[in-house]
Amino acid sequence: MAYFDSASSAPLHPVARQALVASLDEGWADPARLYREGRRARLLLDAAREAAAEAVGCRADELVFTSSGTRAVHSGIAGVLAGRRRVGRHLIVSAVEHSSVLHAAQVHEADGGTVTQVAVGRTGSVSASSYAEALREDTALACLQSANHEVGTEQPVAEVAGVCRAAGVPLLVDAAQSLGWGRVNGDWSVLTASAHKWGGPSGVGLLAVRKGVRFAAQGPADERESGRAAGFENIPAIVAAAASLRAVRAEADAEAVRLRELTERIRARVPSLVPDVEVVGDPERRLPGVVTFSCLYVDGETLLHELDREGFSVSSGSSCTSSTLTPSHVLRAMGVLSEGNVRVSLPPGAPAEDVERFLSVLPGAVAAVREKLGAPAPATVVREDVLVVDALGKRCPIPVIELAKVIGDVPVGGTVRVLSDDEAARLDIPAWCEMRNQEYVGEEPAERGAAYVVRRLS
C-alpha cells in the first residue's frame, strides 16, 4: 500500500519511535516535583523545549506544548484577542485557512467580534496588499497559514508580517504544514504547529508567543506550560515530537529536492494521461510533496475508493466526499474545479516507483468512474434558442456531465441553462467553461436551486 496522504498525518518517523520508547522509562513522573524522578522528567521536558524552540526560531520561554495543533490555534487566537481587547475586536483571516482557524473566527464573531476574510487568487495565495487593506484601527490580530493544507501553496508570510508589524498588529502563523521543512520567515508574533504533520506522535502541538505580544490565556488558571496549556504534560510524546522535528529538519533539504521532482512529474504527466483535468495550486511557491488536481465528470469519493483498491491512500477536497455535499472551502475560495479532486501528499522517503505506479493506474481509475457516471441522459427541453438541462436533485459531478453532453446541441452563440440545486455546481460549471473555452454568462434565480447559463463559443 502506498501512503500518499502525509499532509493529513505523516507516518511516525523512526527517530520519534526510538525517542518515545526510550523516554517512557524516564519521563513518566511529574516534572514539577523536586525529587529525583521529577527532576529527570523536567530535564527531558526542558531539553525538548530547547530543541523545538531552536527549530521554530524563538526563545525557549516563548514556546509551550499543547495537546494538539488545533488546541494551539484556538489558544493562540483566543489569548491574543483577549490580551488586545482594548485595541479592538477585529480579526483578519484568509479565506483558505485551516478549519481550526476559521472555527475560532466563527466563535469570535458569535461573541460580538468582527472578522474580515481576505480573498485569494486562483493559485490559492493571498497578497500583502490585501492584508494591508483589511487592517483597521481596531484590528487585534491577523492570521495566515504558512502553506495551504489542501493545495500546497506557500503564502507570502514575510511580506504580510511586515505589513502587520508596521501597523502594530500581531500576526499568528499556522505553520502545521511547513515547519518540518524549515523555519517560517518573517517577523511573525505567534506561531502554531502540530507534531503529527512532520512525523511526530499525535497529541502534541506547539504554541510560540513572542515576547511583547499582549496575551491573556483563556479558561481556568493552570500553572503548567506558563499557564497557556492546561494539563499534565505528555513528556514521552513531547520528547518524541522534538526529536523527530530535529531529525526531519536534518533531512529536509535533500528530501525536498527529491519530492519536488516527483510531484513535478505528477503535475506534468497527469494532464497528458487523463483528459479534462485541472492541476491546482501555485506551480512554483508550493510545498515539496503536495500536488492537487481535479477531474471533470468524476465523483471524488468513488475515485478515492478506486485508487484505494489499487493500493493508494490519497485524499480529496471534492464535495462528493463530504457529508454536507459542499465543496472544500479552499477550492471554493480559489474558484477552481472541485469535482473529482485528488490531493497527493508524498511522505519523506516515498519511492519513485510508487509514483510511477500511481501514474500508470490513475487513467484507468478515472475512466472507470466516468463510465459508471455516463448515464442516464439528461432531461432536456428546448425553449426557443435556449437549451435547458434539468439537473435538479443530481449531485456532483452529474450537472457538469450533463452540460458537457448537450453543449454541442446548441449553435455557436446559443446558450445552455443548467438547473441545479447542488452547491458544487456554482464552482464547477464556471471552472468547466474556463477549461473548455466556453463562456460562463452567470447565475440566475430559479424556482429551485439556481440556473447556470453557459454560452457556446466553439
Side-chain angles (χ1 to χ4, degrees), residues 227 278 373:
E278 181 179 17
L373 297 171

Side-chain angles (χ1 to χ4, degrees), residues 62 64 66 68-84 91 100-101 104-105 108 140-143 170-174 189-193 206-210 213-218 227-229:
E62 294 174 329
V64 299
T66 66
S68 68
T70 295
R71 183 70 264 167
V73 166
H74 291 171
S75 297
I77 292 176
V80 176
L81 289 175
R84 288 175 49 82
L91 171 66
S100 61
V101 173
H108 175 63
L141 175 66
C143 300
L171 177 69
L172 182 148
V173 178
D174 170 15
S189 300
V190 182
L191 182 141
T192 65
L206 304 183
L207 171 60
V209 182
R210 299 278 199 196
V213 177
R214 295 187 66 86
F215 189 97
Q218 300 301 285
R228 293 175 180 170

Side-chain angles (χ1 to χ4, degrees), residues 125-166:
S125 179
V126 303
S127 66
S129 60
S130 296
Y131 267 74
E133 292 170 5
L135 289 167
R136 305 186 328 205
E137 289 186 1
D138 64 338
T139 301
L141 175 66
C143 300
L144 179 63
Q145 59 191 192
S146 56
N148 187 259
H149 48 291
E150 289 194 27
V151 300
T153 296
E154 294 179 334
Q155 299 291 358
V157 172
E159 294 91 331
V160 172
V163 166
C164 292
R165 178 67 65 181

Side-chain angles (χ1 to χ4, degrees), residues 12 21 59 77 98 129 141-142 159 174 181 202 237 286 289 351 366 446 456 458:
L12 192 68
V21 172
R59 293 168 36 160
I77 292 176
H98 188 269
S129 60
L141 175 66
E159 294 91 331
D174 170 15
W181 297 108
S202 58
R286 57 185 304 100
V366 173
R456 182 183 175 190
S458 60

Side-chain angles (χ1 to χ4, degrees), residues 65-299:
F65 295 104
T66 66
S67 58
S68 68
T70 295
R71 183 70 264 167
V73 166
H74 291 171
S75 297
I77 292 176
V80 176
L81 289 175
R84 288 175 49 82
R85 192 175 182 116
R86 290 185 179 180
V87 173
R89 305 201 63 202
H90 179 230
L91 171 66
I92 301 173
V93 300
S94 84
V96 294
E97 294 298 309
H98 188 269
S99 58
S100 61
V101 173
L102 298 183
H103 291 161
Q106 291 170 1
V107 169
H108 175 63
E109 199 166 26
D111 192 42
T114 57
V115 178
T116 296
Q117 268 199 16
V118 175
V120 298
R122 196 168 174 83
T123 63
S125 179
V126 303
S127 66
S129 60
S130 296
Y131 267 74
E133 292 170 5
L135 289 167
R136 305 186 328 205
E137 289 186 1
D138 64 338
T139 301
L141 175 66
C143 300
L144 179 63
Q145 59 191 192
S146 56
N148 187 259
H149 48 291
E150 289 194 27
V151 300
T153 296
E154 294 179 334
Q155 299 291 358
V157 172
E159 294 91 331
V160 172
V163 166
C164 292
R165 178 67 65 181
V169 174
L171 177 69
L172 182 148
V173 178
D174 170 15
Q177 290 295 335
S178 73
L179 192 62
W181 297 108
R183 288 184 180 180
V184 175
N185 295 323
D187 197 10
W188 50 265
S189 300
V190 182
L191 182 141
T192 65
S194 186
H196 74 100
K197 299 290 188 179
W198 66 67
S202 58
V204 179
L206 304 183
L207 171 60
V209 182
R210 299 278 199 196
K211 294 296 182 183
V213 177
R214 295 187 66 86
F215 189 97
Q218 300 301 285
D222 192 285
E223 71 277 7
R224 297 183 185 275
E225 294 300 296
S226 303
R228 293 175 180 170
F232 196 93
E233 297 94 342
N234 185 347
I235 294 177
I238 288 171
V239 170
S244 58
L245 180 56
R246 177 178 286 178
V248 298
R249 281 288 189 82
E251 305 160 355
D253 289 345
E255 190 62 13
V257 172
R258 197 181 70 85
L259 290 186
R260 283 190 191 280
E261 192 280 328
L262 293 178
T263 52
E264 283 304 315
R265 193 181 305 180
I266 297 172
R267 287 180 62 87
R269 290 177 57 186
V270 165
S272 64
L273 292 170
V274 181
D276 298 314
V277 164
E278 181 179 17
V279 181
V280 301
D282 195 293
E284 303 293 336
R285 294 186 58 165
R286 57 185 304 100
L287 291 171
V290 178
V291 57
T292 306
F293 54 90
S294 299
C295 309
L296 276 173
Y297 323 131
V298 168
D299 175 331

